[in-house]
Every structure is written in C-alpha cells, then in structure tokens.
Amino acid sequence: MANFPVINLEKLNGEERQATMEKINDACENWGFFQFVNHGIAHELLDTVERLTKEHYRKCMEKRFKELVASKALEGIQAEVKDMDWESTFFLRHLPDSNFSEIPDLTGEYRKVMKEFAEHIEKLAEELLDLLCENLGLEKGYLKKAFHGSRGPNFGTKVANYPSCPNPKLVKGLRAHTDAGGIILLFQDDKVSGLQLFRDGEWIDVPPMRHSIVVNLGDQLEVITNGRYRSVEHRVIAQTNGTRMSVASFYNPGSDAVIYPAPPLIEGKEEGENLIYPKYVFEDYMKLYAALKFQAKEPRFDAMKAMNSSTATA
C-alpha cells in the first residue's frame, strides 16, 4: 500500500522544487489528502495552541460533554448510533467577520493565540491555492479570486475534542463525509489517532505527526478543477485510550461566490464531460449540504445542476 503523502515545503525553495510540486499534484489527484511539514508555522505556536485547546476542553467543555452523554444514555448503548457524533466542538469564525467576542469561556491568552494561529493558517492556505494554480496551469491568484465573492472568503476554525469512548464500534467520533468547502488545514493530536480517509475501497489512517499540518480538499475544489482534484470521504474513529484534539481551519468561498469549473480545465474535452459539474452560488450549495452532509456528494452536484436547469427554464 502506498504511503500517506508527506510534503516538505522547505524543498520548494531549492533544487527539489519541481519534484515537490509533482508530489503535491499527485497527492491532490490520487489522495485528496496530504501532510505538510516545515510549513513555516512556529512549533512553539503550535505547542501553545495544543496546550490551551486541551486546557479549555478540560476546564470548560468536558463536563458538558459528559452531561450530554448521560442525558442521551450513551454509556450503555447496545446498537449503532447513526444520528450523532462522539465529539465536543466550538467554531471560531475569522472572515469575513469574527465571532471571537461571542464565544464564552475563552481566556484572553487563548483568544490572542488563536488569532495569531489563524493568521498563519490563512497565509498558508493562500500560498497553497497558488501552488495548486501552478500545477493546474491556471494563472496565479485564480483560485483565490474564485473564492472571493463580494466580501472575501469564508474562513473559520472548528476546534474539536474526541473524548475516550467506551463503545467505539457503535458510535463514530465523526461520521463519514466529504467537506463542502475549499481547502481544510488541520492541526491534529500527535498522540491519539482516529482520522481516516477512504481510498481504493478501504479506510486508511491519517498518521499523527508532531507539528505537521494535514490538508484535505473540499467539494468546491473538485468543481473548480472539473474533477481533476477530488474531495475524499473521511471520518473520525472514536478511541478508548484518550481524547483526540483536532483544530481544523476551513478556507472556503465567500457566500455569494459563483462556483464553476475553470474554463481552461474544460477546453478540449468532449462535450459530455464538460457538463459533469454545475455552476452555482456557494451559499446555495451550503444550504443543501447542511441537510445532506453525511450522504454521497454526487447527488448534491446533481441537485445543483437540476436547480440550474429549473432556473434556466423558468
């Protein structure tokens, strides 16, 4: 079995640039997931994010999660639970508007550190978009512009903890899904595993690696690249041996951004192939996704295509 792609971004600055770009392209085409090392974000900052995130969970969220488990009688479940996930989460919105002031219980230090972390992740996301443009033969800045809309991208961070679970075979940490948006950059626990992706008919572990950033591609990049790059189904398996930390930042199109395959990636293809992916407003896709997140992505694309057709004939 092929090894999970690990990409050393430092090598973009030397003689191995071309080989590194090819490795990124291969990961996008054949995995939809990869892991960055030497990405330019200070290890000290990542260590602080991890420490404060775990402290916040223990002080502010662990009790609430245990109360939720007790209220739903989940400790003694006998049958598979299919309508909830074994996770404790909150969401920090950065762009276009911040919600930091609305999140209770965050210490001043934690707020400051997460803002600094988000600035670095945003920069890394935009650098990655331009690397993808280069590999796709698109002009520099094309993907950032495609995501922009009238107010810039939607960018936020889901902070999650996946507590120890007594029955991991009966409840998932997070049920299988593809991500709706653009690119996702994950800083994850380096000791407790659980993240898996679906590839070639089997579930494959995404290996924990200290100070790395895991990247996966969302549905919108699949559409814009006309299927050359694809979003990949993934899930989190609950563990019995510890709480797993996950800090996942989503760099998504603006709500009113119009999403469609990049014209240079359609040119020269058969007419039937041209129409695989629809054209739509990102917010409309998200409304559909909210109800169908844990189902296959193809019917979502078909539904957006049907919406286009009905609008065109109305």
Side-chain angles (χ1 to χ4, degrees), residues 12 35 75 80 98 101 128 190 192 231 241 243 255 267-268 290:
L12 287 173
Q35 199 151 204
E75 287 284 0
E80 185 175 1
S98 171
S101 63
L128 174 57
D190 67 322
V192 182
S231 59
N241 62 343
T243 296
S255 297
E267 292 170 4

Side-chain angles (χ1 to χ4, degrees), residues 136-138 142 224-226 261-271 273-275:
L136 291 163
L138 299 172
Y142 181 95
I224 294 171
T225 66
N226 201 37
L265 302 181
I266 294 177
E267 292 170 4
K269 294 206 169 192
E270 296 293 331
E271 183 62 28
E273 290 182 303
N274 293 353
L275 304 177

